[in-house]
Amino acid sequence: MKRYYYITTNGRISRKDNTIYFESNETKKFLPITDIEALYLFGEIDLNSKALNYLGQNNITVHLFNYYGFYTGSFYPREYLPSGYCTVNQVKKYLDAAERLNIAQKIVEAASYNILKNVKYYNSRRDENLNDIAQCIENERKTIKEVSSIEELMGVEGRIRDNYYRAFPIITKGKFKLGKRVKRPPDNAMNTLISFGNSLLYTTVLTEIYHTQLNPTVSFLHQPGERRFSLCLDISEIFKPVIVDRVIFKLVNENIIGEGDFTKELNYCHLNDRGRKAFLQEYDNKLGTTIMHRKLGRQVSYRRLIRLECYKLLKHVNDIEEYESFKMWW
């Protein structure tokens, strides 16, 4: 199975024969082209057109993060599975208000279900009581099918997530306080972990969408807009509790990441080099973890679950099979 490569040191990427070659002051490494699913570049990386052309020819996405670990953009190669038929159908589903709301409701239903699973899971492992938070989330979930617009649905989703964030200090034993969710830029350690993890998941979803016939700019829950792949935001909502949040809870609760892994400057906070490497390692481990898929009857990685979700949505927009969004069954 191809893998994601995370390059966290300054250096240069070039093409040498049929491999990608990375060179820095500390290391020299050949990356077999057949082994690369996507590249994640942090810090200062020199990358010439010869290497980019080779990566594009092999359908490899490249995701760029700046010195502070903030996501800046992606190299998205020319699509190799274009389908005008699929794009037209995807747009039709978006333009049909009832269809769009139906898909968006299923996304929020799955995301909130996975959120609730997390709260109940950690409630059973903590002395502190999370029942009140779980009840608030359950009450909000009951209204998902009652909304009549995307705006109302986004309001429900926002209230569910606000309640969920109240559980974070309890789940992490009060080590990091969250306070208000601040994104651009994050202002404390917990906000930094959430933002960094969400950025990683966004790029992971983008990579998985690239290998399907879905158009990443046509979304259903989030409003399609300029300069973003909004379908990635939709699908990310489902997997944030499953992947990102579980990674954060493990990093904090097992003292893999602590206060010393952050740098605070002016009104924002970011992970330092050590903290970033620790997060990336745990995130990659989570993506590679496998579970027994109850329908397929075989072991499937968390990363593969995202691709399967894309396939399910693809079947729905093409009127092959009704979309059933992913809900944790373990």
Side-chain angles (χ1 to χ4, degrees):
M1 183 177 181
K2 292 184 178 182
R3 53 174 290 197
Y4 291 176
Y5 281 89
Y6 307 90
I7 299 178
T8 59
T9 55
N10 297 341
R12 180 177 178 79
I13 290 176
S14 58
R15 175 184 177 178
K16 288 202 173 182
D17 298 323
N18 293 321
T19 63
I20 291 297
Y21 180 66
F22 174 69
E23 182 178 14
S24 68
N25 292 333
E26 298 83 22
T27 185
K28 295 180 180 180
K29 188 174 184 179
F30 287 95
L31 311 179
I33 196 70
T34 55
D35 192 40
I36 305 171
E37 184 72 68
L39 290 179
Y40 285 72
L41 307 184
F42 299 83
E44 298 178 8
I45 307 292
D46 292 330
L47 189 65
N48 61 26
S49 60
K50 185 177 181 181
L52 276 178
N53 284 331
Y54 192 48
L55 291 166
Q57 289 167 12
N58 287 275
N59 308 314
I60 295 171
T61 53
V62 182
H63 306 296
L64 307 173
F65 296 76
N66 66 15
Y67 170 80
Y68 300 104
F70 300 144
Y71 172 68
T72 56
S74 298
F75 168 66
Y76 193 77
R78 179 173 60 88
E79 293 182 347
Y80 71 104
L81 295 172
S83 171
Y85 173 77
C86 177
T87 300
V88 168
N89 287 338
Q90 193 175 340
V91 172
K92 282 182 179 179
K93 295 293 186 188
Y94 167 77
L95 292 175
D96 185 322
E99 273 288 355
R100 181 188 176 189
L101 183 60
N102 173 48
I103 297 172
Q105 284 172 321
K106 289 182 177 181
I107 290 170
V108 174
E109 189 176 278
S112 60
Y113 179 89
N114 295 334
I115 282 172
L116 191 58
K117 287 280 284 189
N118 274 357
V119 172
K120 290 182 175 181
Y121 172 78
Y122 286 99
N123 189 40
S124 67
R125 297 165 63 92
R126 297 283 179 271
D127 293 333
E128 295 88 350
N129 196 320
L130 293 171
N131 286 332
D132 288 344
I133 294 174
Q135 188 60 56
C136 288
I137 293 173
E138 286 181 331
N139 290 341
E140 289 291 347
R141 291 192 75 240
K142 293 175 183 177
T143 68
I144 291 174
K145 289 296 184 181
E146 299 174 0
V147 302
S148 57
S149 69
I150 295 295
E151 290 73 24
E152 285 183 69
L153 183 61
M154 291 291 282
V156 173
E157 190 272 339
R159 290 191 294 274
I160 289 173
R161 196 158 287 278
D162 286 343
N163 278 296
Y164 180 43
Y165 284 143
R166 289 199 292 124
F168 274 46
I170 300 173
I171 293 173
T172 57
K173 308 171 187 176
K175 293 180 181 179
F176 292 155
K177 298 187 183 303
L178 177 58
K180 183 180 179 181
R181 177 74 178 105
V182 178
K183 303 177 183 179
R184 302 183 184 89
D187 62 349
N188 61 38
M190 184 57 78
N191 272 317
T192 296
L193 291 175
I194 295 171
S195 292
F196 187 64
N198 289 349
S199 292
L200 290 176
L201 183 60
Y202 173 90
T203 56
T204 298
V205 173
L206 177 58
T207 296
E208 297 307 313
I209 288 176
Y210 174 70
H211 295 292
T212 73
Q213 294 175 325
L214 288 171
N215 187 312
T217 65
V218 181
S219 53
F220 303 97
L221 175 62
H222 295 84
Q223 185 67 23
E226 302 290 339
R227 300 183 300 277
R228 70 178 186 179
F229 297 109
S230 50
L231 186 60
C232 299
L233 299 176
D234 283 7
I235 297 175
S236 290
E237 293 296 335
I238 298 171
F239 289 96
K240 284 177 186 177
V242 183
I243 298 174
V244 175
D245 299 343
R246 288 291 182 101
V247 166
I248 291 172
F249 298 151
K250 180 177 181 179
L251 289 170
V252 176
N253 289 335
E254 296 185 11
N255 299 313
I256 300 172
I257 279 183
E259 290 287 353
D261 295 307
F262 298 86
T263 301
K264 296 181 180 180
E265 299 181 18
L266 297 176
N267 295 321
Y268 68 91
C269 175
H270 62 88
L271 283 162
N272 60 25
D273 189 54
R274 181 192 175 283
R276 189 157 51 243
K277 288 179 179 178
F279 197 116
L280 290 172
Q281 180 176 343
E282 191 55 42
Y283 178 78
D284 197 54
N285 289 342
K286 175 64 75 173
L287 288 181
T289 300
T290 60
I291 59 169
M292 177 59 70
H293 197 286
R294 60 181 180 179
K295 289 187 177 180
L296 298 179
R298 58 182 173 84
Q299 293 291 325
V300 173
S301 69
Y302 280 67
R303 197 181 94 193
R304 188 65 180 177
L305 287 173
I306 299 173
R307 180 84 63 90
L308 291 173
E309 195 69 10
C310 296
Y311 289 150
K312 288 191 294 181
L313 189 55
L314 183 63
K315 288 180 180 179
H316 180 86
V317 300
N318 286 330
D319 295 319
I320 297 172
E321 185 176 305
E322 185 69 18
Y323 174 56
E324 292 298 330
S325 48
F326 171 78
K327 297 175 183 177
M328 283 193 285
W329 59 81
W330 59 93

